[in-house]
Amino acid sequence: EMVQGMGMTSTFCDGNDVIQTYLTLQNSLKSIHAGKGPQFIELSTYRWREHCGSNYDNEIGYRTEAEFLAWKKKDPIARHETFLLQEGIISSERMIEMHRTIEAEVDEAFLYAENSPFPDEAEAFLDLYRRPEEILS
């Protein structure tokens, strides 16, 4: 691999497996902290929705419905929730409570954003790495 040719350790991991991903990252961090140099980690995962929106775009034709459904079965959140429930790490009641809390937080954030005024135009160029005149020229 190109990365190994550059002298870096390369690791592949199923990015849809929460525990495997965690363990892979922990092992890489141990190696880095031990002074063994940088690490390259490839996490395999899948984009389910549009590149620039929240809709599904399977009808465009760049992937089949079968491909999409196969990857949907590998949903990392659903897989990990199932694991946590099967192992008795969390109860279904607690899981439902967590979902409700998260949904409420997201709803609150959207309401805040929708009800907030637009920022002043003068703020558009704050906190940039380049000066506005460099960007606009």
Side-chain angles (χ1 to χ4, degrees):
E1 290 182 16
M2 181 178 73
V3 174
Q4 289 173 335
M6 298 167 81
M8 273 195 279
T9 300
S10 176
T11 306
F12 175 83
C13 177
D14 177 0
N16 291 325
D17 183 325
V18 174
I19 294 174
Q20 183 185 358
T21 299
Y22 175 81
L23 293 173
T24 298
L25 293 172
Q26 288 300 308
N27 287 337
S28 292
L29 284 171
K30 284 180 189 174
S31 179
I32 291 166
H33 290 153
K36 296 181 181 176
Q39 303 278 311
F40 181 87
I41 304 167
E42 179 184 356
L43 300 172
S44 175
T45 191
Y46 194 77
R47 180 188 55 77
W48 305 12
R49 299 196 183 240
E50 300 172 309
H51 282 281
C52 57
S54 60
N55 299 313
Y56 291 98
D57 56 359
N58 295 356
E59 74 283 352
I60 294 174
Y62 67 92
R63 61 179 168 199
T64 65
E65 191 69 17
E67 174 189 334
F68 174 81
L69 293 173
W71 276 97
K72 187 94 168 137
K73 289 179 184 174
K74 298 177 183 182
D75 174 358
I77 296 171
R79 285 173 65 187
H80 197 61
E81 284 181 351
T82 299
F83 168 79
L84 294 172
L85 290 167
Q86 287 176 343
E87 295 297 314
I89 296 169
I90 192 168
S91 69
S92 58
E93 293 81 14
R94 177 69 178 121
M95 186 79 69
I96 291 167
E97 179 186 328
M98 288 172 58
H99 279 274
R100 285 185 184 143
T101 300
I102 292 166
E103 190 172 322
E105 287 179 18
V106 170
D107 290 345
E108 183 180 330
F110 267 93
L111 280 172
Y112 176 79
E114 289 169 347
N115 293 317
S116 295
F118 279 95
D120 186 271
E121 289 180 19
E123 294 180 29
F125 293 105
L126 294 179
D127 301 318
L128 298 176
Y129 293 104
R130 296 176 61 193
R131 294 186 302 276
E133 59 272 14
E134 293 175 329
I135 296 168
L136 298 173
S137 61

